[in-house]
Amino acid sequence: MNQVKSFDIETIRKDFPILNQQIYNHPLIYFDNAATTQKPKPVIDKVNEIYSLKNSNIHRGVHYLSTQLTEEYENARKQVREFINARSTNEIIFTGGTTHSINAIAYSFGEKYVEEGDEIIIAELEHHANIVPWQVLCDRKNARLKVVPINDRGEIIMEEYEKMLSGNTKLVSINHISNSLGTINDVKKITALAHQKDIPVLVDGAQSVQHQTLDVQELDCDFFVFSGHKIYGPNGTGVLYGKEKWLEDLPPYQTGGEMIHKVTFERTTYNSLPFKFEAGTPNYVGAIGMAEALKYLHKIGVDAIADHEKALLEYATSRLRDIPGLTIYGTSERKIGVISFLIGNIHHYDTGMVLDKMGVAVRTGHHCNEPLMDHFGIEGTVRCSFAMYNTKDEIDHFYDALIKVNEMFG
């Protein structure tokens, strides 16, 4: 599919029917994209098409519907492989989302390689999905969870990270981009440093794959995970990328139909990749819908989307800094279109509720980042996060709404 030559924001917005509505008599301004993105019409149409005309279980059917949908499901896998530049479709496992994928590696890798006294490294800016699975693993194996500190700009302190890497380190699991601060971590360097000591690295791409061109071979990470619903695809979908050598080596984390090769009451042998890790009936409708979202992203152009969102970030940051008493958390020079902030002593929840009454959807709270909030000594923030369909006019309306919030509570 050819890439669109210019970023036509009005045409793009027409592809997202949910944006064409009023909330409390105001045009909807959706700035909660880090939580989930809205779905373009091609994705909605594809899901409707499957349920209306094609629905059938895949892989095991010999009839027309099953074989047709099986082909679409495996084409979706090819689409994902191409999008992240994996070497093989054997390296693409469909899961239920980022959290599902991290738990899969925490269980599978942990069972085989983690023992008492071993260490897992994460960073202070992880969301809970990249904290709790490793805590559970460490509890189960009497291993240690080590946390790389960040500075007050919200950046990983690389010197501290390097000091933590040791012969006891079994795995590093780092988010590519912080969901609360927008910080872009240098995961290529983080991976290279770990590999110098033969330590594998998992990169949590929940907030990255939709905002920038992604190449897992260039990053050289061992595992990369992301969710479909954050890249304009259906909910309940996700991807676990793993280098083939690891996926061949690790045991399955779920068992049941499809992941088997041969079952007797004495013994079961496992299927080949990627099916070894896809037990039971997969979310084939979601996977095909997610692939449709990737096609849409490719059509618009991920680099063009990144440029647009960067312009929005710079414009919004400039405007918000004019608001008396407003503090932005996360000021790294390398960040995506996410702004977390507080206005004076106004509670984040109050700010969010008033914004909602003016048609602006933002996220309030700790954003599944309680340890990160502890770092800044706050309970939570207001978070606005941009996507391809947002505009500078929306930011102007957002600015005016925040001025009203400040007048009401300030």
Side-chain angles (χ1 to χ4, degrees), residues 27-175:
L28 170 64
I29 296 176
Y30 187 78
F31 282 167
D32 195 18
N33 297 288
T36 195
T37 53
Q38 301 302 343
K39 317 309 173 193
K41 201 164 182 303
V43 172
I44 298 169
D45 289 347
K46 174 55 73 174
V47 172
N48 284 338
E49 175 191 322
I50 294 172
Y51 281 129
S52 301
L53 301 172
K54 300 180 176 178
N55 187 49
S56 180
N57 209 331
I58 61 172
H59 285 149
R60 293 179 287 276
V62 296
H63 55 83
Y64 179 84
L65 291 180
S66 179
T67 54
Q68 292 298 306
L69 211 54
T70 298
E71 184 176 347
E72 285 206 44
Y73 181 75
E74 292 307 324
N75 284 338
R77 200 187 308 274
K78 293 176 184 174
Q79 186 73 34
V80 173
R81 186 213 66 76
E82 181 180 341
F83 195 78
I84 65 173
N85 195 31
R87 287 182 178 84
S88 163
T89 52
N90 286 345
E91 298 179 320
I92 305 300
I93 311 297
F94 286 123
T95 69
T98 299
T99 303
H100 186 167
S101 298
I102 294 174
N103 272 282
I105 295 302
Y107 180 83
S108 185
F109 183 91
E111 279 303 293
K112 183 153 187 177
Y113 287 108
V114 178
E115 298 176 349
E116 183 174 355
D118 288 340
E119 297 172 349
I120 305 292
I121 292 179
I122 61 173
E124 199 174 6
L125 42 53
E126 308 299 339
H127 62 154
H128 297 166
N130 199 29
I131 299 174
V132 181
W134 306 114
Q135 287 178 324
V136 171
L137 169 63
C138 289
D139 286 346
R140 191 167 77 242
K141 295 285 188 153
N142 289 322
R144 295 179 61 201
L145 188 66
K146 303 195 76 171
V147 182
V148 185
I150 60 171
N151 60 32
D152 285 341
R153 294 188 299 276
E155 300 162 329
I156 286 176
I157 302 174
M158 292 298 287
E159 296 79 7
E160 296 300 320
Y161 167 66
E162 286 191 65
K163 290 178 189 173
M164 287 185 183
L165 295 169
S166 75
N168 293 326
T169 309
K170 290 300 178 184
L171 185 115
V172 175
S173 186
I174 297 287
N175 67 29

Side-chain angles (χ1 to χ4, degrees), residues 368-401:
C368 294
N369 281 140
E370 286 189 87
L372 180 61
M373 297 300 133
D374 291 342
H375 171 92
F376 289 107
I378 56 179
E379 179 186 319
T381 69
V382 181
R383 182 186 69 188
C384 64
S385 50
F386 305 124
M388 70 168 87
Y389 39 67
N390 292 129
T391 68
K392 289 184 178 178
D393 287 343
E394 290 181 319
I395 292 171
D396 288 338
H397 183 86
F398 178 51
Y399 172 86
D400 293 340

Side-chain angles (χ1 to χ4, degrees), residues 106-260:
Y107 180 83
S108 185
F109 183 91
E111 279 303 293
K112 183 153 187 177
Y113 287 108
V114 178
E115 298 176 349
E116 183 174 355
D118 288 340
E119 297 172 349
I120 305 292
I121 292 179
I122 61 173
E124 199 174 6
L125 42 53
E126 308 299 339
H127 62 154
H128 297 166
N130 199 29
I131 299 174
V132 181
W134 306 114
Q135 287 178 324
V136 171
L137 169 63
C138 289
D139 286 346
R140 191 167 77 242
K141 295 285 188 153
N142 289 322
R144 295 179 61 201
L145 188 66
K146 303 195 76 171
V147 182
V148 185
I150 60 171
N151 60 32
D152 285 341
R153 294 188 299 276
E155 300 162 329
I156 286 176
I157 302 174
M158 292 298 287
E159 296 79 7
E160 296 300 320
Y161 167 66
E162 286 191 65
K163 290 178 189 173
M164 287 185 183
L165 295 169
S166 75
N168 293 326
T169 309
K170 290 300 178 184
L171 185 115
V172 175
S173 186
I174 297 287
N175 67 29
H176 197 172
I177 294 177
S178 162
N179 69 320
S180 283
L181 308 180
T183 307
I184 302 172
N185 291 320
D186 190 349
V187 291
K188 188 174 180 180
K189 183 176 181 181
I190 287 169
T191 300
L193 289 169
H195 283 180
Q196 287 176 9
K197 297 181 182 296
D198 294 326
I199 301 165
V201 175
L202 184 152
V203 174
D204 172 356
Q207 298 292 339
S208 69
V209 70
Q210 67 276 45
H211 296 296
Q212 57 183 245
T213 300
L214 200 287
D215 185 333
V216 290
Q217 293 190 62
E218 183 184 2
L219 293 180
D220 199 27
C221 55
D222 299 275
F223 305 101
F224 187 92
V225 301
F226 64 93
S227 295
H229 74 99
K230 293 183 190 287
I231 52 169
Y232 310 97
N235 288 51
T237 61
V239 168
L240 162 60
Y241 157 81
K243 286 181 178 174
E244 196 162 355
K245 66 173 184 178
W246 282 112
L247 295 181
E248 288 284 6
D249 182 55
L250 295 177
Y253 65 97
Q254 287 183 332
T255 55
E258 192 57 32
M259 54 75 67
I260 58 92

